[in-house]
């Protein structure tokens, strides 16, 4: 059976950064890329907030760069999905979808989280052309413009207030007549003059123009679920803020998670509830969810993994 000191699951900024550090520490890591090689950033266009790219970079290029850097030091990056992990004894037995079995002394979980969308066809159509699930990443492109935020929880409240700082007007579209967000966040929303809440409204369709590969949102058609009335609001940005689903199905009942499914790590550490298994990036972070914070915890996970291996001898 194939053996490795360090198996990394996931190929976003957390996974690749962990790989760079683990490879340079001579752990000869094997990294499985998963369903979406490169992770969430491959679905965005311009990344302007990752330090070091003075002129910005597009998401897929940045992920290619990270992969190149990880493989330059000997990371064995592979296509494929991990289908099972036996967390009950070390070395951990890991199954891959091609039938392979690997024994890993340590595992770094960097499987990320998936943004929730309403799932309507027009959302998908305008993805990257006005539809976004991250105000911190894309808000800057809508400076001085009108935008819509969909949702009523803390994520929606946070995204709406963030966007209100730079946009002309923010419509907060919520399906009920009260917000789910914490009282403190609600207060911030209510006290922001350029946020207009459209209560009891749901999205029917995102509309815009499409010319070849260029697409641009110019409005959202809404309906009032109390009166049935339909209306169009003119906006150039459509921010889905329904929350995220951490990709942790593999670890249900195996590792400690919160009630949403985020992996719980020890304070000031990436250590999970099982010794030798570490978690980095969005899979254990519901607050920041940035490429740079994911990369930071990826680095921590690799260093902790190396230290753990050293302590076993
Ligand atoms: P939540 O599940 O709390 O909120 C999701 C929101 O989206 C709800 O208002 C929900 O409406 C709405 N929604 C879901 N599905 C649909 C749909 N199909 N159509 C229309 N609306 C829909 O997710 P959050 O990401 O906001 O928060 C998750 C957790 O993370 C919470 O515990 C939150 O407190 C925490 N968090 C904390 C932050 C902070 O402290 N700064 C920041 C972000 C999150 P409805 O209310 O009607 O169900």
């Amino acid at each position: 059976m194939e053996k490795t000191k360090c198996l990394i699951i996931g190929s976003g900024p957390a996974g690749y950064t962990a790989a760079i550090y683990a490879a340079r520490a001579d752990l000869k890591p094997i990294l499985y890329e998963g369903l979406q090689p490169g992770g969430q950033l491959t679905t965005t266009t311009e990344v302007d907030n990752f330090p070091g790219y003075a002129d910005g970079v597009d998401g897929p290029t940045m992920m290619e760069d990270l992969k190149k850097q990880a493989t330059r030091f000997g990371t064995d990056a592979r296509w494929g999905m991990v289908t099972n992990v036996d967390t009950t004894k070390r070395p951990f037995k890991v199954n891959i979808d091609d039938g392979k079995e690997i024994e890993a002394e340590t595992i770094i979980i960097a499987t990320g989280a998936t943004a929730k969308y309403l799932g309507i066809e027009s959302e998908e159509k305008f993805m990257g052309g006005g539809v976004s699930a991250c105000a911190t990443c894309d808000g800057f492109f809508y400076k001085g413009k009108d935008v819509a935020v969909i949702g009523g929880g803390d994520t929606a409240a946070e995204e709406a207030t963030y966007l209100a700082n730079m946009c002309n007007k923010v419509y907060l579209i919520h399906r009920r007549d009260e917000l789910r967000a914490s009282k403190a966040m609600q207060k911030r929303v209510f006290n922001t003059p350029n946020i207009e809440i459209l209560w009891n409204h749901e999205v029917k369709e995102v509309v815009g123009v499409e010319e070849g590969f260029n697409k641009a949102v110019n409005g959202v058609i809404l309906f009032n679920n109390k009166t049935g009335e339909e209306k169009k609001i003119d906006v150039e940005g459509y921010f889905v803020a329904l929350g995220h689903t951490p990709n942790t199905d593999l670890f249900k009942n195996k590792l400690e998670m919160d009630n949403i499914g985020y992996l719980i790590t020890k304070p000031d550490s990436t250590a999970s509830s099982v010794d030798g298994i570490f978690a980095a990036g969005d899979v254990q972070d519901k607050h920041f969810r940035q490429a740079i914070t994911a990369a930071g915890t990826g680095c921590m996970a690799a260093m902790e993994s190396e230290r753990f291996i050293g302590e076993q001898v």
Side-chain angles (χ1 to χ4, degrees):
M1 190 188 306
E2 190 173 14
K3 294 177 195 305
T4 181
K5 286 187 173 158
C6 178
L7 185 113
I8 300 168
I9 314 175
S11 56
Y16 282 137
T17 306
I20 293 165
Y21 274 78
R24 296 187 83 248
D26 213 22
L27 299 187
K28 300 186 175 49
I30 296 175
L31 177 149
Y32 274 93
E33 292 183 335
L35 254 190
Q36 190 182 17
Q40 288 183 85
L41 272 182
T42 55
T43 64
T44 62
T45 45
E46 198 72 4
V47 180
D48 268 341
N49 54 8
F50 199 87
Y53 286 104
D55 301 317
V57 60
D58 65 273
T61 305
M62 185 178 135
M63 297 321 300
E64 257 321 296
D65 284 350
L66 276 170
K67 181 174 178 177
K68 263 191 226 155
Q69 195 175 352
T71 49
R72 180 156 73 94
F73 297 110
T75 300
D76 183 350
R78 302 177 179 175
W79 280 85
M81 294 273 296
V82 170
T83 53
N84 191 45
V85 179
D86 181 354
T87 58
T88 56
K89 52 183 185 302
R90 287 199 308 269
F92 305 108
K93 209 172 270 173
V94 179
N95 295 88
I96 313 299
D97 59 351
D98 60 5
K100 198 188 281 283
E101 244 185 18
I102 301 179
E103 264 185 11
E105 284 178 48
T106 63
I107 294 177
I108 296 176
I109 303 166
T111 46
T114 308
K116 291 183 199 160
Y117 286 84
L118 291 176
I120 52 178
E121 212 180 304
S122 50
E123 252 180 359
E124 173 121 29
K125 181 162 133 190
F126 288 103
M127 198 81 81
V131 170
S132 167
C134 178
T136 321
C137 318
D138 299 325
F140 184 80
F141 303 114
Y142 302 93
K143 231 176 173 171
K145 299 178 174 168
D146 291 356
V147 298
V149 173
I150 323 303
D154 275 326
T155 298
E158 210 167 52
E159 304 269 274
T161 47
Y162 178 85
L163 289 164
N165 275 329
M166 64 187 84
C167 297
N168 177 56
K169 176 162 188 168
V170 178
Y171 294 96
L172 183 59
I173 319 292
H174 185 39
R175 64 181 173 186
R176 290 188 298 129
D177 59 3
E178 59 176 346
L179 296 178
R180 180 181 295 279
S182 59
K183 288 282 177 265
M185 286 305 295
Q186 290 195 27
K187 206 166 152 193
R188 280 184 63 193
V189 169
F190 297 146
N191 289 338
T192 306
N194 60 338
I195 297 179
E196 180 180 338
I197 307 179
L198 298 176
W199 302 108
N200 302 312
H201 276 80
E202 294 181 41
V203 175
K204 187 168 177 215
E205 209 184 333
V206 185
V207 291
V209 289
E210 234 189 329
E211 279 165 21
F213 287 117
N214 293 325
K215 39 197 181 169
V217 167
N218 60 21
V220 183
I221 300 173
L222 304 169
F223 71 96
N224 184 316
N225 57 25
K226 287 271 185 273
T227 63
E229 198 185 313
E230 262 185 39
K231 69 170 173 187
K232 179 183 173 223
I233 53 167
D234 297 326
V235 291
E236 289 178 55
Y238 170 98
F239 288 87
V240 204
L242 309 174
H244 293 74
T245 309
N247 302 320
T248 51
D249 282 354
L250 263 182
F251 302 101
K252 279 211 171 104
N253 304 320
K254 296 181 177 179
L255 297 178
E256 212 182 315
M257 307 178 178
D258 71 6
N259 59 342
I260 306 173
Y262 285 95
L263 294 179
I264 293 177
T265 50
K266 303 204 166 113
D268 297 324
S269 165
T270 58
S272 75
S273 52
V274 171
D275 287 347
I277 301 186
F278 304 90
D282 288 11
V283 75
Q284 52 84 54
D285 168 23
K286 67 180 174 211
H287 293 290
F288 302 105
R289 296 193 285 250
Q290 299 302 298
I292 186 64
T293 48
T297 50
C299 157
M300 287 166 65
M303 291 177 74
E304 291 190 281
S305 180
E306 184 201 0
R307 202 172 303 148
F308 178 84
I309 291 168
E311 283 165 3
Q312 304 311 300
V313 282

